[in-house]
Amino acid sequence: MDFGKLGVTRNFVLPALCIFLVPVISLLFFLHAQQQLNARYREAILKQIANDPTLNEEQRHEATAFHRAIPLSRLILQDEVAKSFDAETRFHFATFRWAIRLSIWSIAAGVLVLALAGVCVLFSMRSQRALALSLAVGWHVLRIYTAIQVLVQGVLLVALSFWVTALWFNLYSVKLIGLTALLAVVAAGTLIKGIFTVPKFSAEVEGEIFPKNHGAPIWKELESICATLGTEPPDQIIAGIDDNFFVTDAPLTVNGERYQGRTLYISLSLLKQLDGDEAKAVLAHEMAHFSGMDTLYGGKISRLEHRYDHYLQTLYEGGTTIPIFYFLNVFRFLFALSLGKHSRQREFRADGIAADVVSPQSNAKALLRVSAYSAYRGNVEQEVFDQESVLESTNLREKIEQGFAPFAQQFLSSADLDHIETAHPFDTHPPIADRLTAMGVSLRDRETTALLETKGDGKWYELIAGASEIESNLWRSYEERFLKVHEQSLPYRFLPENDAEREIVERAFPKMEFSCKKGLITIDDQSIAFAEWQDKLPWSDVGNCVLDDGTLKIHRESTAGGDLQIKMQWFRAAAERQQFLETFEKYLGRYKIAAEFQEQKCRQREEDSSAE
């Protein structure tokens, strides 16, 4: 996403202004319609005045000037005048009058909400508490406003669907009016669903739960750190193998069980790589988030964000509610800027506390080692995943543990620290270089560049009872999933050139046959064949495909043979039609993905050759 000035305007501001499109068009049209009706009646009234024998010249002049100056749309508001016109005329003027009012109110409300939401965004920059309060107020104001807007714009659209054709073409379409009314009802239903649906907020984390146990070594050390910081220890610890540490007040699901309260997640795989002071600095940093109520406000903000995002998704999928989606999305973007600002402040504060508890050098060393581990683990996993053959095993754990130390020693000389951030499931972190600078640690110092030359002693890893067994079990489960995903991806990489590749693809995409009134249809990983066609149609020759009025129309990229079609009525049962269409889409999609993958490989090889 482009977040430059032009990018923000194009991606957020201009789409958000679409919410004013219907009321502005309605306002202009109904002002025009009212003017037309005024002109029509003015002409009739002036003609009547001119031909009225009971009026003298002075009276005729005064009456003419009066009706030229004051339109009937204003005069008809008086009961005496209104009674002199039929019900249809009064209804027409009332319709125009209320359409104009609704349009003006809609535009004014939009401007007012823009201003109010802007104030909320500015106020949210003050503190985390202000951010949580602003997001809560903004959520309630925006959803009430959007509910009213959907109703008002629905009414305006229905009015337009009748009057545009009636005024300009002297006719009206019942189908057009009915369709517009149906779309308005669907939009209202979508909005109500989004407003009153409260999504469940619970992240799933893989690991082993350690409930609070004051006698366990890991808990003793944590309680000591918390006592220093003046905060309560977490309610539970989750030991896992991800490449990060984090704390949260948000509900978490572990092994099917939901846990509330303050949670600390520790990575066993990372603890093994850190020495005692590094691990203490990391945990002091995490406990500092508790002491600053970061997790308390973070949890409130996350739940509001989750509900806001769910509402946005509902509006985006509603079709006719797309303008509402873009209007709300601009504020979601602005609140995200505020959230990013507070996130950076939280991390700098926690880094400073960790540096005070241990030392700036130990905290810097921990940050660098965690970043190096995350980068190295990502490299190893990508390298294994890129292998284009069926794997018997991955040995990820062994490869990472054996190769990490030499990688870490040269990490500072090869990494772009201006863009490296530590991983976190719920938050964003400033780049490592900024965090080190804030602690007064310079990357140019020899002392800093030598920080990762020695291996960590894994002291805190030994404080966790059964750590080795827990870690082994978690890695075993992770590698099994990794193998499964890798195997599932292989058929989408090949345009088979040998028996091994062909076996992989055909095992996942075997030949399928479908019988219809016109003969047999055969689909495999290379092509689709039909008894009605002279030759097989290779997937490489398939362009745009459209299901139009029960006929699958297949555009051929080559000119030979022309386009092809398969009518769904040729199948005997609806289930057979559905299975055929799903298979067609699946096999064609696989080929297109594999072709794009092979093309990217060729481009990458060319770029690598040019670089050499």
Side-chain angles (χ1 to χ4, degrees):
M1 184 70 74
D2 181 5
F3 290 114
K5 289 183 178 179
L6 291 177
V8 170
T9 301
R10 182 176 61 251
N11 295 314
F12 295 97
V13 177
L14 292 180
L17 294 179
C18 288
I19 200 170
F20 295 106
L21 187 62
V22 170
V24 167
I25 291 175
S26 297
L27 177 62
L28 295 177
F29 174 80
F30 285 108
L31 284 173
H32 165 73
Q34 182 175 263
Q35 185 180 19
Q36 290 288 96
L37 200 59
N38 278 330
R40 186 186 307 170
Y41 278 99
R42 181 187 299 114
E43 182 179 349
I45 293 172
L46 293 179
K47 186 176 181 180
Q48 182 179 357
I49 293 172
N51 296 326
D52 189 346
T54 64
L55 299 176
N56 59 39
E57 285 303 317
E58 183 179 353
Q59 290 173 327
R60 184 175 288 108
H61 178 75
E62 290 179 355
T64 300
F66 176 81
H67 284 286
R68 287 187 183 280
I70 302 177
L72 182 58
S73 56
R74 285 175 56 190
L75 292 174
I76 206 168
L77 293 175
Q78 302 174 17
D79 291 338
E80 296 79 5
V81 176
K83 290 177 183 179
S84 62
F85 290 90
D86 58 70
E88 183 178 359
T89 300
R90 295 197 300 271
F91 176 74
H92 289 170
F93 274 110
T95 299
F96 298 161
R97 183 166 60 251
W98 279 103
I100 292 169
R101 288 176 180 176
L102 286 176
S103 299
I104 293 173
W105 290 344
S106 178
I107 295 168
V111 173
L112 181 63
V113 168
L114 277 171
L116 180 60
V119 170
C120 284
V121 170
L122 291 175
F123 180 68
S124 71
M125 296 287 183
R126 295 171 59 89
S127 66
Q128 294 188 95
R129 182 180 181 183
L131 174 59
L133 180 62
S134 296
L135 196 55
V137 171
W139 156 248
H140 291 300
V141 169
L142 288 171
R143 68 174 179 165
I144 293 171
Y145 163 74
T146 52
I148 295 173
Q149 277 287 17
V150 164
L151 294 175
V152 168
Q153 294 197 18
V155 170
L156 291 175
L157 284 171
V158 172
L160 285 171
S161 67
F162 172 79
W163 277 106
V164 167
T165 57
L167 184 69
W168 289 344
F169 306 107
N170 292 320
L171 56 86
Y172 64 91
S173 169
V174 175
K175 288 184 178 180
L176 177 62
I177 298 169
L179 178 60
T180 305
L182 178 61
L183 291 175
V185 171
V186 170
T190 300
L191 201 74
I192 291 170
K193 176 185 175 183
I195 288 175
F196 292 103
T197 300
V198 181
K200 293 182 179 179
F201 182 79
S202 179
E204 190 166 350
V205 179
E206 186 173 12
E208 187 74 22
I209 282 286
F210 287 89
K212 191 174 290 185
N213 181 352
H214 300 291
I218 183 72
W219 280 102
K220 286 183 178 179
E221 295 292 342
L222 269 179
E223 286 166 354
S224 175
I225 293 174
C226 290
T228 301
L229 300 182
T231 188
E232 289 294 319
D235 297 304
Q236 58 265 330
I237 298 172
I238 301 176
I241 58 169
D242 288 351
D243 56 349
N244 58 62
F245 298 82
F246 66 85
V247 289
T248 182
D249 271 342
L252 298 176
T253 300
V254 183
N255 299 325
E257 294 289 329
R258 198 165 185 263
Y259 293 88
Q260 304 267 12
R262 292 152 54 121
T263 301
L264 165 67
Y265 178 92
I266 58 176
S267 170
L268 296 174
S269 302
L270 263 171
L271 277 181
K272 188 184 291 185
Q273 303 294 339
L274 302 174
D275 64 33
D277 283 345
E278 292 170 28
K280 186 175 182 180
V282 169
L283 295 175
H285 173 104
E286 299 302 336
M287 294 304 100
H289 286 307
F290 283 142
S291 71
M293 294 194 293
D294 297 342
T295 56
L296 175 64
Y297 286 116
K300 291 180 179 180
I301 292 167
S302 294
R303 283 186 284 274
L304 285 167
E305 282 188 297
H306 187 60
R307 189 166 186 184
Y308 199 124
D309 290 343
H310 176 78
Y311 187 50
L312 283 177
Q313 185 65 28
T314 302
L315 295 177
Y316 185 77
E317 294 172 352
T320 54
T321 52
I322 286 288
I324 305 291
F325 161 80
Y326 283 118
F327 185 79
L328 295 188
N329 196 44
V330 72
F331 296 109
R332 179 67 179 87
F333 164 70
L334 294 174
F335 277 117
L337 295 179
S338 178
L339 185 61
K341 171 180 177 288
H342 292 301
S343 176
R344 289 174 61 87
Q345 292 175 344
R346 289 196 297 266
E347 293 309 312
F348 289 139
R349 173 185 171 276
D351 281 341
I353 290 174
D356 291 339
V357 170
V358 189
S359 71
Q361 290 297 320
S362 292
N363 195 38
K365 189 177 178 183
L367 287 173
L368 291 171
R369 201 182 297 276
V370 169
S371 299
Y373 179 86
S374 181
Y376 182 67
R377 177 169 170 171
N379 292 344
V380 170
E381 291 186 355
Q382 189 63 54
E383 183 179 330
V384 173
F385 191 80
D386 286 344
Q387 294 184 35
E388 296 184 357
S389 60
V390 177
L391 304 175
E392 296 297 327
S393 62
T394 62
N395 298 319
L396 289 175
R397 179 185 179 185
E398 291 80 359
K399 290 176 181 177
I400 293 169
E401 290 184 354
Q402 292 171 8
F404 175 63
F407 176 86
Q409 291 173 3
Q410 52 79 43
F411 177 67
L412 283 179
S413 62
S414 61
D416 183 1
L417 297 178
D418 288 336
H419 296 92
I420 290 180
E421 301 175 5
T422 53
H424 195 286
F426 305 114
D427 222 335
T428 56
H429 287 170
I432 293 295
D434 292 350
R435 297 175 69 179
L436 297 182
T437 300
M439 290 188 293
V441 177
S442 173
L443 289 172
R444 298 179 180 178
D445 293 345
R446 168 58 190 158
E447 186 179 356
T448 303
T449 58
L451 286 176
L452 301 184
E453 289 184 355
T454 58
K455 294 178 61 175
D457 56 22
K459 177 181 176 181
W460 281 68
Y461 183 85
E462 304 300 329
L463 296 176
I464 300 174
S468 179
E469 182 181 358
I470 294 170
E471 185 188 13
S472 296
N473 291 337
L474 291 173
W475 270 111
R476 186 180 305 111
S477 176
Y478 180 78
E479 292 186 4
E480 287 174 357
R481 294 197 306 275
F482 189 97
L483 277 173
K484 185 177 181 180
V485 172
H486 176 265
E487 186 173 354
Q488 290 173 341
S489 75
L490 287 178
Y492 292 89
R493 307 188 199 187
F494 299 131
L495 300 176
E497 296 180 350
N498 54 54
D499 291 341
E501 294 178 354
R502 191 166 293 106
E503 180 184 356
I504 289 172
V505 175
E506 290 180 353
R507 184 165 60 245
F509 291 84
K511 181 185 292 186
M512 302 286 289
E513 293 183 344
F514 300 89
S515 178
C516 71
K517 294 178 182 179
K518 296 291 185 177
L520 191 67
I521 302 175
T522 304
I523 294 178
D524 58 32
D525 65 286
Q526 297 292 319
S527 63
I528 176 173
F530 185 24
E532 288 279 294
W533 302 341
Q534 292 182 353
D535 302 303
K536 291 182 178 181
L537 175 63
W539 296 122
S540 58
D541 196 19
V542 175
N544 186 40
C545 300
V546 178
L547 185 63
D548 182 18
D549 196 22
T551 299
L552 177 62
K553 298 179 180 179
I554 305 172
H555 174 68
R556 301 183 67 169
E557 295 288 353
S558 64
T559 57
D563 294 348
L564 302 169
Q565 64 179 22
I566 299 174
K567 295 185 178 181
M568 296 301 101
Q569 66 187 34
W570 294 341
F571 292 92
R572 293 177 177 83
E576 292 177 347
R577 292 196 294 270
Q578 187 64 28
Q579 185 181 9
F580 164 73
L581 289 172
E582 290 175 355
T583 303
F584 179 88
E585 183 179 10
K586 178 181 176 182
Y587 280 55
L588 174 60
R590 184 217 73 86
Y591 179 86
K592 296 295 185 184
I593 293 171
E596 177 63 23
F597 180 82
Q598 292 296 325
E599 186 177 338
Q600 289 179 355
K601 278 182 61 178
C602 290
R603 287 199 298 265
Q604 188 61 51
R605 282 196 293 266
E606 291 174 358
E607 291 175 4
D608 293 343
S609 299
S610 300
E612 292 175 1

